[in-house]
Amino acid sequence: MAIRIYNTLTKRKEEFVPVNPGKVGIYSCGPTVYDYFHIGNARAFVVPDVIRRYLQYKGYEVTLVQNITDIEDKIIKRASERGVEPADIVDEYTKAFFEDRKALGVRPPDIQPRATQHVEGMIKMIQKLVDNGLAYVAGGDVYYDVSRFEPYGELSGQNIDDLKAGARVEPGEAKQDPLDFALWKAAKPGEPAWDSPWGPGRPGWHIECSVMSTQYLGPVFDIHTGGVDLVFPHHENEIAQSHGANGHPPVKYWVHNGYVNIDGQRMGKSLGNFKTVRGILKQYPGKVVRYFLISNHYRKPINFSDEELTACGKALARLESAVANALFATGMKGWTREQLEQAVRPETQLAQAITAAKASFEEAMDDDFNTAGAIAALHELATALNTYVNQGIQPGQGQSEPVRAAVAAATLAMAELGDVVGILDLDTLLSAHATAETGAEAGGDGDAKLVESLIRLLLDVRAEARAMKQYALSDKIRGELSELGIVVEDTRDGARWKRVSQ
Ligand SMILES: [Zn+2]
């Protein structure tokens, strides 16, 4: 089925047709490296990672480009506050960005260009805009003349008059109109500066994304992502620049993720509820934070709270322990990928559940990358696996070939689909403990689940003992369980157990 993407530019879902068949170019706005990134930024980094993984899963060759803004007012300000060079700030927070990104399971982009390495390209594009009559020089600054770009406001769905009402000229700016924006800023004393036809200075923020996206992905590329806060002015300006310089719109699909609220409120430094990922990672594992970030459709706002993160942790543990318990119950814990692949048979007992889960996973992801639906599909498969392990395995068949084939196939499917959204991977699943951390199972606590698995294991051993006519051993198991208040009844469908009060 075709993938459909909601395009901010057209305000509707459109069928995804790449510029070049079989290939996808994605540009994602990266961090300004002057501080640890916050949980809202994190969502804007995880979303393109998921889109890229899903498109790769669908067989596309994906090139993901994400910039690093390493020259900007905030960096210069932070450096002067600390009495260090801007480069020191950039080094420190670029390193932190890489660490925190890794903790969230976000794979590095294919190309990670830095603004300061592309100043020459920016000067060229600015010159082109001046030559095309879309930009003007004022003092040592260069501004984009928004009134000369007719489609301005199209992306954010605003008209120029409304935008003008909200715009101001800041002190020290030489622009002719409040809506005009700086392409080049004249150097102030002590600031990093590059030579240009307009004198020493540095590029504005917006121009870097126009230059780096089109340089690496071509003048027209497929997908541009960013947080919804970047629609205006950043991406509106990016369109004005790239279109103005190259004569056509640069991007086919504009994809914007929603906000992350904190305890029901917008996050802000002034509100005192500012959450960096660095801080959150001290409290929650990265994969739980990632699970939270993709637990809802990317365009909807999500709400960060301790309750929510705890719930996500439990839900993720439920997926992991469904596999871990199944591997444990079948004696396959510690197996390798090769062993699992060899164990799989063409028709396994869980084939229907696996096919259904894959179909609903893909249906959800095809529908504008609906990760909430994709996660629901993983939980459906976990339910099927739990049911199979707890009820579907005949006594004495716990380690039989067909049972192992079913569990192997389900394990590989969980790993494959879970890896597409970046919350499960096979190595983790194979080494995960059949643990007590399965508190998310409806109606039960984690220990109950563990007890259930352990008793099921003992009953399997007992059934095998009986099959080999080792009645002394089977009676011993039954007797010891009875001492613990667990009564075993042999029925036509195999052994059942229940707890009796002692
Ligand atoms: Zn950008």
Side-chain angles (χ1 to χ4, degrees), residues 27 29 67 205 209 224 234-235 238:
Y27 186 85
C29 287
N67 64 309
W205 170 40
C209 287
H224 196 312
H234 185 52
H235 291 162
E238 197 179 320

Side-chain angles (χ1 to χ4, degrees), residues 74-261:
K74 293 186 191 113
I75 297 169
I76 294 168
K77 185 162 170 264
R78 180 62 51 93
S80 78
E81 282 165 6
R82 292 217 193 142
V84 297
E85 293 299 316
D88 298 328
I89 298 292
V90 166
D91 287 348
E92 179 181 348
Y93 290 108
T94 302
K95 187 168 161 277
F97 166 61
F98 290 157
E99 289 166 0
D100 295 348
R101 170 174 79 184
K102 192 175 176 200
L104 293 176
V106 174
R107 293 177 182 150
D110 300 286
I111 305 167
Q112 183 107 61
R114 295 175 187 228
T116 54
Q117 291 164 358
H118 294 77
V119 175
E120 203 182 316
M122 296 185 219
I123 291 172
K124 271 190 196 152
M125 189 179 267
I126 295 168
Q127 186 61 57
K128 222 168 166 183
L129 291 168
V130 173
D131 294 345
N132 291 353
L134 290 164
Y136 58 90
V137 183
D141 300 341
V142 183
Y143 292 96
Y144 195 103
D145 185 350
V146 167
S147 68
R148 301 289 305 272
F149 183 68
E150 206 253 329
Y152 198 81
E154 206 176 314
L155 182 71
S156 53
Q158 296 166 284
N159 70 44
I160 292 235
D161 293 335
D162 291 343
L163 289 170
K164 273 188 181 165
R168 284 187 309 165
V169 178
E170 299 294 333
E173 290 186 316
K175 58 191 182 185
Q176 295 166 359
D177 186 288
L179 264 192
D180 296 347
F181 59 91
L183 298 165
W184 187 262
K185 298 175 180 185
K188 296 191 190 111
E191 287 184 359
W194 288 259
D195 285 330
S196 82
W198 320 286
R202 60 191 167 89
W205 170 40
H206 313 299
I207 193 74
E208 67 174 86
C209 287
S210 280
V211 168
M212 291 189 267
S213 61
T214 53
Q215 174 174 335
Y216 292 105
L217 296 171
V220 182
F221 59 94
D222 298 294
I223 298 173
H224 196 312
T225 74
V228 68
D229 52 316
L230 297 186
V231 173
F232 186 86
H234 185 52
H235 291 162
E236 196 78 73
N237 292 350
E238 197 179 320
I239 292 173
Q241 293 162 159
S242 299
H243 189 160
N246 299 327
H248 49 76
V251 176
K252 282 191 79 176
Y253 306 90
W254 284 93
V255 169
H256 292 98
N257 63 272
Y259 286 109
V260 179
N261 294 321

